[in-house]
Amino acid sequence: SKLIDIRHILTLTGVRRAGKSTLMHQLMNHLITERGIPAKNVVYLFLEDVLVQPYLSLGWKLLEDLYNFYLETYNPQGRVYLFLDEIQGIQEFNRWISSKYERQEPIKFILSGSRRSLVDSESATVLTGRNVQIDVYPLNFYEYLSIQGVKIEGGANIEFLRQANFSHQTSILHHLGNYFKEGGYPEIVLTPDEEVKRTLASSYYRDTVTRDVVVPNGIRNQQEVEILGLQILSDFTKTHTYSSLSRPQKISVETTKAYLDYFQRAYLFFESKYFSYKTKETQDIQRARKIYVVDNGLRNFNVPLLRPDLGQCAENVVYMELRKQTGAIHYWQGKKEIDFVVINPDLTFYNVSYTNLPHEREFAGLMEGLREFNIAKGTVLTKNYHEIRKLEGKTVEFVPLWAWLIMSGS
């Protein structure tokens, strides 16, 4: 709510159904009930409403007409709080907003959108320096525990957190297993029925593919795109090349590369590239990359599974938690692999081994990377195992994933 006081345009971005509209409504309620802003000064427009669709061809003029109608009808005094939900379908909306902003009209703009074009398209550059972007993701594990009514005792660091919550670690691990399976989409989490969860996840996937991948990019073969997405969901966290992804459907490498870019712009998938100080190696399109999905539940409820892949689910959860801190996440491969090389701004190394008996390769992989890049410390995220090992002046700490997620998410 502090960001509501500054003049900058507030932009909420992220995958569909993650809670952007809910945040908008909570903010509107805060303005009216806690700050005493007159209700007529708080305006909300949902720009994907079926009643709006016939007028989208008007582009920014639609916004101008609606706003003028509002002014004439309500004659608000003072600052107007204008909430524009799912605005990405309005052509040149950035220029209209920029014009109002530069003329210093008394409007606080709060925008939301489910495509990255909202903030990185050519027209979006007119708002550079004038907007504050907030990425909205499905619930993290700490938020998930709050919804489940699990009380977490505080801790200044991992060790204090472990000790403070020692008596109910098994309960926390139970909920972490459920979180691995159903993810953090609020509506799915709050629904008790398993079949309803599956139905919601299926509709989320198809709706996102249709609205944010197929339609805006003029794709004719929707089935081809959906099948590629399901293929990626099935094999998430594994290394792929564009060639290996294109092979099952026999589509071209260039088409596959374009589809994957569209998926990323819709916040469905994220790529982790090979880490190297040599830009040419990092950007090499022939080199394998790892692909992560925005939410475990979206994956697990859309892919037939005999049982959840706990190791992959844990790795995906770690990636998404790291992504909230920085976009610079890579993997590294020597004789062994390091799951995550994070640049923020220094290098930090993580391996994920969701077991209480971590395999020696996780330790060996980190040690290899620590030597290669002259880094002092790395972390192995485990199920509930904690240890600190020192070797050759290097430190590898084994940290329970549940504690790391709570510390990071709170």
Side-chain angles (χ1 to χ4, degrees), residues 175-381:
H175 287 292
L176 182 56
N178 289 339
Y179 180 65
F180 281 169
K181 179 183 177 183
E182 69 180 14
Y185 278 100
E187 196 173 13
I188 291 177
V189 171
L190 292 169
T191 299
D193 187 274
E194 191 80 3
E195 280 308 307
V196 176
K197 290 178 188 286
R198 191 172 301 279
T199 300
L200 287 172
S202 176
S203 71
Y204 289 1
Y205 174 69
R206 293 182 180 277
D207 193 37
T208 302
V209 170
T210 300
R211 290 173 179 250
D212 297 324
V213 177
V214 173
V215 172
N217 296 296
I219 296 172
R220 296 180 180 178
N221 192 339
Q222 177 160 344
Q223 185 180 30
E224 186 175 76
V225 178
E226 287 187 357
I227 291 174
L228 176 63
L230 291 172
Q231 175 190 334
I232 294 170
L233 287 175
S234 180
D235 293 332
F236 77 146
T237 78
K238 297 179 181 178
T239 51
H240 302 273
T241 62
Y242 293 129
S243 178
S244 68
L245 288 172
S246 66
R247 214 168 288 132
Q249 290 193 83
K250 297 178 180 172
I251 54 182
S252 74
V253 169
E254 283 304 310
T255 299
T256 300
K257 187 171 180 289
Y259 286 169
L260 189 55
D261 180 59
Y262 300 154
F263 279 130
Q264 291 182 85
R265 290 178 178 277
Y267 301 101
L268 269 180
F269 301 132
F270 305 92
E271 283 186 349
S272 174
K273 298 177 182 178
Y274 174 81
F275 175 75
S276 172
Y277 282 123
K278 299 176 182 177
T279 304
K280 186 176 180 181
E281 289 187 4
T282 303
Q283 300 299 328
D284 183 2
I285 65 169
Q286 300 299 324
R287 191 180 282 275
R289 58 204 65 217
K290 301 178 82 169
I291 304 178
Y292 297 90
V293 61
V294 69
D295 182 78
N296 276 10
L298 189 72
R299 184 260 180 176
N300 293 331
F301 288 126
N302 277 291
V303 174
L305 297 170
L306 294 176
R307 54 187 171 80
D309 316 303
L310 290 181
Q312 288 172 268
C313 288
E315 185 176 335
N316 195 75
V317 164
V318 171
Y319 176 87
M320 289 309 303
E321 193 61 43
L322 289 170
R323 185 167 184 85
K324 293 162 191 173
Q325 302 167 22
T326 175
I329 309 168
H330 302 264
Y331 77 95
W332 182 75
Q333 182 84 49
K335 292 179 182 178
K336 301 280 193 297
E337 182 179 287
I338 294 179
D339 293 326
F340 302 113
V341 177
V342 181
I343 309 171
N344 193 27
D346 299 324
L347 291 186
T348 310
F349 293 170
Y350 295 93
N351 267 348
V352 182
S353 181
Y354 195 67
T355 172
N356 288 327
L357 295 170
H359 198 282
E360 191 62 26
R361 68 171 177 267
E362 309 296 346
F363 176 74
L366 276 180
M367 284 299 300
E368 182 185 5
L370 295 176
R371 293 189 199 101
E372 176 73 17
F373 296 99
N374 194 27
I375 304 297
K377 182 181 178 182
T379 303
V380 179
L381 296 168

Side-chain angles (χ1 to χ4, degrees), residues 18 22 28 34 43 47-48 50 79 86 112 129 142 155 175 228 259 280 291 297 359 379 383 387 410:
T22 298
M28 287 188 285
E34 296 185 34
V43 186
L47 295 163
E48 286 190 336
V50 65
R79 196 183 210 191
E86 297 294 354
S112 87
Y142 180 78
H175 287 292
L228 176 63
Y259 286 169
K280 186 176 180 181
I291 304 178
H359 198 282
T379 303
K383 185 175 183 180
E387 181 192 1
S410 61

Side-chain angles (χ1 to χ4, degrees), residues 141 144-145 148 150 170-180:
F141 183 53
Y144 180 88
L145 288 175
Q148 301 298 335
V150 178
T170 53
S171 173
I172 294 172
L173 287 169
H174 165 77
H175 287 292
L176 182 56
N178 289 339
Y179 180 65
F180 281 169

Side-chain angles (χ1 to χ4, degrees), residues 142 144-154 161 164-165 167-169 171-172 175 402 406:
Y142 180 78
Y144 180 88
L145 288 175
S146 297
I147 282 184
Q148 301 298 335
V150 178
K151 183 174 174 54
I152 299 297
E153 301 298 331
L161 185 69
N165 296 281
S167 62
H168 57 287
Q169 287 181 18
S171 173
I172 294 172
H175 287 292
W402 66 264
I406 290 171

